[in-house]
Every structure is written in C-alpha cells, then in structure tokens.
Amino acid sequence: MPIIERPNGAQITPELKSKLTRVSYPTLGHFHERGFVEPEIRSHLPGSKILGRAVTVQIPGLDSSLMHRAVALLEPGDVLVVSTGGDRRHAPVGEVVAHAVKVAGGAAIVIDGVMTDLNEVTRIGLPVFARGTSVLTTKLLGVNQGGVNIPVSIGGVAVCAGDIILADDNGVLALPASDAEIIIDEALESDANENMLIRKLDEGTPLPDVTIANRALSPHLGVAADHVH
C-alpha cells in the first residue's frame, strides 16, 4: 500500500485560540471526557503550556524517514504528533529533529514513544511530550508504510490532522475544534469562579458546600438511624 500524504488541517480560528490561551487545561476535564492522552506521555520540558494545530504522522516503528517529511509541512504554531505504531524502544526525536521543528516555528512534538538527546533538546527549548527516553534511535530506511496527516492513535486517543493539541505539565489533550467550541465558555466561567471558591474555603465553608457535591448527593443521602440500646 503506498504511503499517504495529505494536506494540513484547518487552522484554529482566532476567537477560539484566544479563549483557549486563557483557560486552565485541567478545567476542561470537568466538562469533557474524550481526547485525554494516557498520562505516561509527559512533558520533558517542565513549565511548557502548548496550544497548536496537529500535524500527524504514522511511522513504521524503527524507520523515521516519513517523519522528516512531516516536519517540512509544519507551519508556525503547529504541533507534530507522531505515532510509532507501538514501538517504545526506538527514539525518532532527538537534537536534529527538534532543531528542525524549532526552526519551522513548531510549538511542540507529541510522540507515542520515546525521545533521545534529552539535554540537547532541552537546550533548544522545544517542548517534547513522550513516554520516556532511549539511547536507541530510529533509522532512515525508506520503508513503504505509514502516512502524513492521516488519523493516528496517540496514548489511546485518535488524533486527526487539524485537531487542537493542548499540553502542559499535567498531560496532553487532543480535541477537534467542534468539541473545544462546545466546552470552552463553560470552562472559562469555571476558572473565573475559582477564586470565589477558594475564598469560601478560607472562610471555613466545608468543601461539599462550596462545590455542588452536597447538591449532587442529596437524593442519595439517608438520615442516620438512631443508635439502638
């Protein structure tokens, strides 16, 4: 089967991008369940907060030739999303690839696998989200498998070209723009109310009264029976 190369997906609209830059990413988990990548895929540049359009690539295990082609498609702000087909031993991302992504204006790399050259990539300053590190690298073999901007699986989540990648020290979230539009306003409102909740806690209000926990549980809470002598 020939290698598939598709164009980049649609850019994030300025209005949605503006809202997403203001939200706390963990807040989105209060209102959504899909798209949260397995927590083993973590930031290797602490303090990063990433928002960008996904450019996806599926590479055949130890051959990273196709990923180099995907890097050439990156536009400023894009996130390179790499599926290794389950290979967690060979590192397709190191100093040279990270430098190329940085030069292209890429925001980050998310890889369902491992990276190498940790110190050099840290010096470059490119956020890489990966399962860990390895000294075993991929090769440039030209295997006739994989694709660019095709749907890929990253940490148990299906990611398509043009999806929105949100990532920070807490983890990675991949969302279609349509899903992000549905939840973003409610999430921003929740963030705006957080200081009020903290203030009530400081004043001595019990946590289940500050949140909606008591209201949610009230239909299920019975009155404790009197102690029988």
Side-chain angles (χ1 to χ4, degrees):
M1 182 176 178
I3 291 171
I4 300 171
E5 291 191 14
R6 294 175 177 160
N8 291 341
Q11 290 281 6
I12 308 169
T13 66
E15 180 182 5
L16 179 57
K17 189 170 187 177
S18 175
K19 291 180 178 180
L20 289 170
T21 59
R22 304 198 307 271
V23 77
S24 171
Y25 295 163
T27 302
L28 297 170
H30 295 315
F31 307 102
H32 199 66
E33 192 64 28
R34 299 185 303 277
F36 294 87
V37 171
E38 292 172 352
E40 290 79 11
I41 298 178
R42 301 185 59 81
S43 172
H44 289 265
L45 186 66
S48 303
K49 187 175 182 181
I50 303 304
L51 162 62
R53 176 185 66 168
V55 172
T56 64
V57 58
Q58 172 78 56
I59 64 172
L62 58 80
D63 178 21
S64 59
S65 305
L66 197 56
M67 192 183 72
H68 292 200
R69 290 185 62 87
V71 171
L73 295 178
L74 292 175
E75 298 177 33
D78 286 344
V79 177
L80 182 65
V81 178
V82 185
S83 173
T84 62
D87 189 315
R88 299 177 185 177
R89 297 180 65 240
H90 296 84
V93 174
E95 180 180 13
V96 172
V97 169
H99 189 84
V101 171
K102 186 79 169 181
V103 168
I109 300 173
V110 176
I111 173 173
D112 195 349
V114 293
M115 64 174 292
T116 195
D117 296 340
L118 178 61
N119 293 336
E120 292 82 357
V121 173
T122 299
R123 187 180 67 248
I124 290 167
L126 182 78
V128 176
F129 295 78
R131 291 184 180 271
T133 60
S134 174
V135 295
L136 177 61
T137 65
T138 54
K139 317 302 190 273
L140 299 178
L141 303 174
V143 176
N144 187 27
Q145 294 178 26
V148 176
N149 281 326
I150 62 173
V152 297
S153 178
I154 303 292
V157 172
V159 181
C160 296
D163 282 353
I164 298 170
I165 304 297
L166 306 167
D168 62 14
D169 288 346
N170 299 292
V172 181
L173 170 60
L175 286 176
S178 56
D179 284 7
E181 293 277 10
I182 292 170
I183 63 175
I184 184 59
D185 289 334
E186 196 170 10
L188 285 170
E189 182 180 358
S190 177
D191 278 350
N193 291 332
E194 193 163 288
N195 285 337
M196 178 186 65
L197 301 182
I198 296 296
R199 187 168 63 252
K200 287 184 177 180
L201 289 170
D202 288 341
E203 292 168 353
T205 306
L207 178 62
D209 291 331
V210 169
T211 66
I212 66 168
N214 273 345
R215 194 188 330 156
L217 291 171
S218 61
H220 315 292
L221 294 175
V223 178
D226 291 335
H227 181 70
V228 179
H229 295 280

